[in-house]
Amino acid sequence: MSGPGAFILGCEGPRLKQSERDFYERAQPWGFILFARNVEDPDQIRALTAELRGAVGRDVPVFIDQEGGRVARMTGPHWREWLPALDQVTLNKRDALRTLYIRYRLIADELMAVGIDGNCAPIADIANADTHPILRNRCYGEDVVRVAERAGTVAQALLEGGVLPVVKHIPGHGRASLDSHKDLPRVKTKAKELARTDFMAFEPLAALPIAMTAHVVYEDIDAENPATQSPAMIQLIRDRIGFGGLLMTDDLSMEALSGPLSLRARRSLHAGCDMILHCNGVLEQMEEVADAAGRLDGKALERAEAALTWRRRPDPIDIPALDAEFQNLMTGQGSEQATDERD
């Protein structure tokens, strides 16, 4: 038995071209992902997400990176603006869990209103002194317990809002001192230390439906291959971390990876990834990825189908009340800001 394509794809602009429609109809991607180049206003996004689903003839998931802060594809004036996550929890440590919950519950409401039902969050990477600035203030904290707890709260908020969470970047990107969009980070930390810090942050999240791999080499485990393309690291994600859901790559067009896109896709799938992510919307590249990745089947198809069972109607919420509560929590703490929700 085989299913749709083993890939999630982007598109070029705010509306589909006929060439894109024709390709998507043939290729049948499992899902789509949107970026700032695809975003103008709410009506336009609703039309685009409808076009994407119409092109494949299925109610496919449509994802976006809407973390809030520096990584936000939907911004003002149409959508709320947020501090970077680490700045938010630092300003109010005592209520970090509640403010993160409200933030992502409101984000979920905004996404669902325009036909987007997947968000590439939470981040379970642990910030430290060496974390590259591209990632550091997107993290939720600097220790494994708080990061895992906060990431779980973010996932809960998204799910209750009808949005599929994508945990990233498994098994942990926080020790990377390079930007994997441009270079391949290498982590020299010993496996035992990683197991009780970076990797452990993902263990409480292992039952979630989807996770995204890290384009990072962990030298003590596999000195040759980034996790996305490492059979040893994928086995670690499955066995030691215990993640049983759909495992998708980070964007294959990032410069951390080398070789033609077709080879990148085949290496990732051979290593044990279930799903290829390709984001830039260049039609010729998408055709190459689709040809190399092929169709979902076997365990990967089962995991993809299981992930979609997590989709649900949003729980009813009082948006003005949540907005007001968030503002009160972030502005009314005074001297209590120095305490932590676990203290």
Side-chain angles (χ1 to χ4, degrees):
M1 179 183 178
S2 63
F7 40 87
I8 296 167
L9 301 175
C11 58
E12 183 178 339
R15 299 298 293 266
L16 291 189
K17 297 178 178 179
Q18 189 60 49
S19 57
E20 291 175 310
R21 289 193 189 91
D22 294 343
F23 166 67
Y24 297 143
E25 183 179 6
R26 294 193 310 271
Q28 288 292 310
W30 184 73
F32 294 98
I33 187 164
L34 302 184
F35 282 79
R37 66 178 183 271
N38 309 121
V39 171
E40 291 178 345
D41 58 62
D43 288 341
Q44 170 267 322
I45 302 183
R46 277 189 287 270
L48 178 58
T49 55
E51 284 182 325
L52 290 167
R53 293 185 171 106
V56 295
R58 309 188 328 273
D59 184 19
V60 296
V62 178
F63 296 90
I64 198 167
D65 286 289
Q66 190 70 3
E67 299 172 12
R70 190 161 38 80
V71 177
R73 316 307 184 193
M74 296 161 50
T75 57
H78 299 293
W79 299 283
R80 294 173 181 83
E81 300 273 7
W82 305 92
L83 290 171
L86 189 59
D87 295 348
Q88 177 180 311
V89 299
T90 300
L91 283 171
N92 186 349
K93 294 180 180 179
R94 191 188 74 169
D95 297 302
L97 292 178
R98 183 60 182 168
T99 58
L100 282 171
Y101 176 87
I102 295 172
R103 170 189 180 121
Y104 285 93
R105 185 62 185 84
L106 293 173
I107 287 173
D109 182 72
E110 292 180 334
L111 298 183
M112 286 294 286
V114 294
I116 298 171
D117 59 359
N119 194 10
C120 295
I123 289 177
D125 305 317
I126 300 172
N128 62 63
D130 296 324
T131 304
H132 191 278
I134 196 72
L135 176 65
R136 180 176 166 76
N137 68 0
R138 297 160 55 195
C139 298
Y140 303 154
E142 298 178 323
D143 71 273
V144 59
V145 174
R146 291 181 178 88
V147 167
E149 193 173 36
R150 293 167 183 174
T153 294
V154 170
Q156 177 189 356
L158 292 171
L159 286 166
E160 290 180 5
V163 172
L164 288 171
V166 178
V167 183
K168 59 188 185 187
H169 305 82
I170 198 166
H173 209 301
R175 293 183 189 267
S177 58
L178 298 176
D179 176 5
S180 58
H181 294 85
K182 300 177 180 178
D183 300 287
L184 177 59
R186 305 185 69 88
V187 170
K188 300 181 184 296
T189 308
K190 294 299 182 182
K192 286 185 178 180
E193 174 66 15
L194 291 168
R196 62 175 177 259
T197 55
D198 300 60
F199 300 167
M200 187 177 288
F202 290 88
E203 291 179 12
L205 312 171
L208 289 170
I210 310 174
M212 177 188 292
T213 61
H215 293 338
V216 176
V217 172
Y218 305 86
E219 293 188 351
D220 197 39
I221 301 166
D222 184 343
E224 302 298 323
N225 303 294
T228 302
Q229 299 178 335
S230 168
M233 292 305 303
I234 300 302
Q235 184 176 5
L236 181 149
I237 290 168
R238 294 298 190 194
D239 296 342
R240 184 182 299 179
I241 292 175
F243 179 73
L246 183 72
L247 189 61
M248 60 189 277
T249 71
D250 203 344
D251 181 13
L252 281 200
S253 61
M254 292 165 63
E255 295 177 28
L257 304 183
S258 60
L261 283 168
S262 57
L263 182 60
R264 299 182 190 191
R266 286 194 292 268
R267 283 177 173 170
S268 301
L269 294 172
H270 176 73
C273 291
D274 299 314
M275 185 76 63
I276 300 301
L277 177 66
H278 181 269
C279 296
N280 66 22
V282 176
L283 183 57
E284 294 79 8
Q285 293 188 20
M286 294 192 292
E287 290 171 337
E288 182 180 354
V289 167
D291 288 342
R295 300 286 180 176
L296 284 167
D297 59 15
K299 290 290 187 182
L301 177 58
E302 292 177 14
R303 294 180 186 119
E305 291 176 340
L308 294 182
T309 68
W310 286 67
R311 295 198 289 189
R312 55 185 276 190
R313 290 187 176 182
D315 294 342
I317 57 166
D318 185 333
I319 295 294
L322 280 184
D323 270 326
E325 182 184 354
F326 183 86
Q327 294 303 321
N328 289 336
L329 289 171
M330 293 303 298
T331 59
Q333 296 306 307
S335 61
E336 295 176 328
Q337 289 181 0
T339 66
D340 191 277
E341 72 270 18
R342 295 185 57 85
D343 293 345

